Amino acid sequence: MAAFGAPQAAPQAPDYKCPAPMSDGISSLSLSNNNLLVATSFDSSVRCYQVQQQGQQVAANAVAEVKSDGPVLCSDFDGSGSAVYFAGAGDNTAKMWQVYTSRGLYFMVVVRRPPPPPPPTPRLPPLQPGQPTAQTIGRHEKPIKCIQYVQMHNGLVITGGWDNSVKFWDTRQPNPIQSITVAQRVYAMDIRSPLMVVATADVPAHERQQNSPELRYVYTFNLQTFQHSTQPHSMDPSPLKHQTRCIATFPDQTGYAIGSIEGRVAIQHVDASKKDKNFAFKCHRQSGQQLVQGKQTSEVYAVNAIAFHPLGTFATAGSDGVFNFWDKDSKQRLKNFPRCNGSISAAKFSPSGNLFAYSVSYDWSKGREYYQPQAANDIFLHPVEASEVQPRPVKKQGVRGR
């Protein structure tokens, strides 16, 4: 098991906290290329923020919101940043919300908020009022865990659900143009065309053969061939031993990073000739307070999010309330950030890589007994400095952690 170098978290200025926090757990964050941020929540809301950034100064306003019929689990912008696709566990539908037109941003519900601080950039033009609605574009038999827009074939929306299926939608048609059946519930999915990776739940004990391992699979697909064949490029057991929490493809589409509840991340390459570059490492762990058989224990936390920067470095965020920036090629931790006052449930880089958004919100990793209804569900924006994400020179041997 490889380990990255582990620099200590350095003191830094607090990240910007967005106004109008959610009333329940935050399930996903999405950022567009036109300075919009969307957050989804278990309180059935999909909220849009308008972000302003000038260097290391950031400000945001909550400008619009729509409600779903139940908890919303996932979201993604289209290529232009004008529409948001989201889905969840209410009526098991995927929806499209048109948030931006040539007239400007739509208002549906203006979120009440305290007066914002003086903006670091000139104020944007007044927003145009409108009557937005979320249009249903697809449906699964069970809740939809993942949704993603793909800018191919005039735009496709791909959904992964707990009904053991991945479906392809043309928003102009009521039925999916393609459907793929996988072994179990879809727990995580990511796409950088033409590579699509899908990670599933464990095979239930009653379906496994006697003494067989607790398999959870990772599928890879080539989207250039999906119209002719639904066969995966590969279907392999997860390289990690415990439940999958997140997965993210490399920016160059040559592989993916996968994270689990055991505080581990695995780096995997699709090309079989590069299998010798695969490795896994420990992260999101804290030293325990007691010794067992003379060894210090560790508190292990789930890896809730993995996000790649355009440069190829990546971030992980966990239920320990910490996010880190890493370089997979040099096997180094680039920066370890201070611990937040709660679990980090979702995280994402902006398309340009200049901004890193993350949500501090209970992730239920410790069960119902640790749930605190009064706890905040906040979104923070971290302006990314070039030195934090710049790849390091590759060494022959990775630096081991202390």
Side-chain angles (χ1 to χ4, degrees):
M1 179 64 65
F4 283 2
Q8 297 297 314
Q12 64 176 51
D15 291 333
Y16 177 80
K17 183 168 73 173
C18 294
M22 300 292 200
S23 62
D24 204 344
I26 299 171
S27 54
S28 77
L29 298 172
S30 296
L31 294 102
S32 74
N33 53 15
N34 57 351
N35 301 320
L36 298 180
L37 164 68
V38 157
T40 63
S41 172
F42 288 95
D43 66 5
S44 305
S45 63
V46 182
R47 187 169 298 168
C48 181
Y49 296 81
Q50 195 169 33
V51 179
Q52 301 175 71
Q53 181 179 10
Q54 184 176 16
Q56 297 301 302
Q57 292 184 304
V58 181
N61 288 325
V63 294
E65 180 181 277
V66 291
K67 287 287 186 179
S68 184
D69 296 320
V72 186
L73 303 179
C74 51
S75 62
D76 194 28
F77 276 97
D78 70 355
S80 67
S82 62
V84 175
Y85 301 95
F86 64 91
D91 55 5
N92 306 331
T93 62
K95 293 182 170 65
M96 178 181 70
W97 178 28
Q98 197 77 31
V99 296
Y100 199 93
T101 70
S102 59
R103 294 172 54 200
L105 272 168
Y106 274 131
F107 272 106
M108 182 172 183
V109 176
V110 178
V111 183
R112 186 170 297 171
R113 59 188 184 274
T121 58
R123 298 188 68 86
L124 298 175
L127 301 175
Q128 299 293 330
Q131 297 295 326
T133 57
Q135 171 191 350
T136 298
I137 61 168
R139 185 183 300 272
H140 280 243
E141 295 300 318
K142 293 182 179 180
I144 300 171
K145 179 61 173 65
C146 306
I147 192 167
Q148 200 155 346
Y149 174 84
V150 180
Q151 203 158 356
M152 60 184 299
H153 299 285
N154 295 319
L156 294 177
V157 178
I158 302 179
T159 53
W162 289 349
D163 57 358
N164 300 16
S165 71
V166 176
K167 297 184 178 183
F168 296 68
W169 306 94
D170 181 333
T171 60
R172 299 165 296 182
Q173 301 180 26
N175 297 316
I177 62 175
Q178 188 60 277
S179 182
I180 299 172
T181 299
V182 292
Q184 284 298 322
R185 302 179 302 281
V186 175
Y187 271 7
M189 181 179 78
D190 194 33
I191 304 167
R192 288 181 194 261
S193 184
L195 176 63
M196 177 174 74
V197 291
V198 178
T200 66
D202 298 6
V203 176
H206 67 275
E207 296 182 13
R208 295 196 299 268
Q209 296 180 357
Q210 188 175 6
N211 299 323
S212 66
E214 298 181 10
L215 291 180
R216 61 206 66 82
Y217 290 101
V218 178
Y219 296 77
T220 64
F221 295 90
N222 181 354
L223 293 184
Q224 292 177 332
T225 64
F226 86 95
Q227 287 185 313
H228 311 290
S229 173
T230 60
Q231 293 299 312
H233 174 270
S234 64
M235 173 187 173
D236 299 308
S238 169
L240 303 177
K241 296 180 180 179
H242 296 279
Q243 183 187 103
T244 301
R245 289 288 294 153
C246 53
I247 198 166
T249 54
F250 300 168
D252 62 4
Q253 305 103 42
T254 60
Y256 59 89
I258 182 171
S260 73
I261 62 172
E262 60 178 319
R264 277 187 172 93
V265 168
I267 302 297
Q268 299 289 114
H269 292 79
V270 175
D271 189 342
S273 65
K274 297 183 179 179
K275 295 298 184 183
D276 60 329
K277 295 185 178 181
N278 296 345
F279 67 96
F281 64 96
K282 299 176 183 178
C283 55
H284 299 284
R285 300 183 175 210
Q286 304 288 336
S287 298
Q289 302 298 321
Q290 58 182 345
L291 298 178
V292 176
Q293 296 180 348
K295 296 183 179 180
Q296 189 176 37
T297 60
S298 294
E299 297 179 6
V300 180
Y301 297 87
V303 182
N304 289 332
I306 299 174
F308 274 91
H309 188 274
L311 292 177
T313 51
F314 67 100
T316 63
S319 58
D320 56 347
V322 172
F323 66 94
N324 302 294
F325 291 170
W326 310 87
D327 183 355
K328 64 178 176 61
D329 296 322
S330 65
K331 296 184 179 180
Q332 295 186 59
R333 187 191 334 238
L334 300 177
K335 190 165 183 179
N336 179 24
F337 291 85
R339 192 172 187 174
C340 302
N341 61 355
S343 302
I344 299 179
S345 61
K348 207 79 160 215
F349 281 107
S350 63
S352 66
N354 293 333
L355 201 64
F356 181 70
Y358 61 97
S359 57
V360 178
S361 180
Y362 186 55
D363 62 354
W364 294 92
S365 60
K366 292 186 176 181
R368 182 178 179 180
E369 60 269 26
Y370 284 85
Y371 174 61
Q372 298 178 355
Q374 71 278 11
N377 299 283
D378 290 319
I379 300 169
F380 292 88
L381 302 177
H382 171 75
V384 177
E385 298 180 10
S387 60
E388 297 175 341
V389 293
Q390 190 67 35
R392 302 283 174 81
V394 177
K395 300 179 180 180
K396 291 185 178 181
Q397 293 183 349
V399 178
R400 288 197 169 274
R402 292 188 285 250

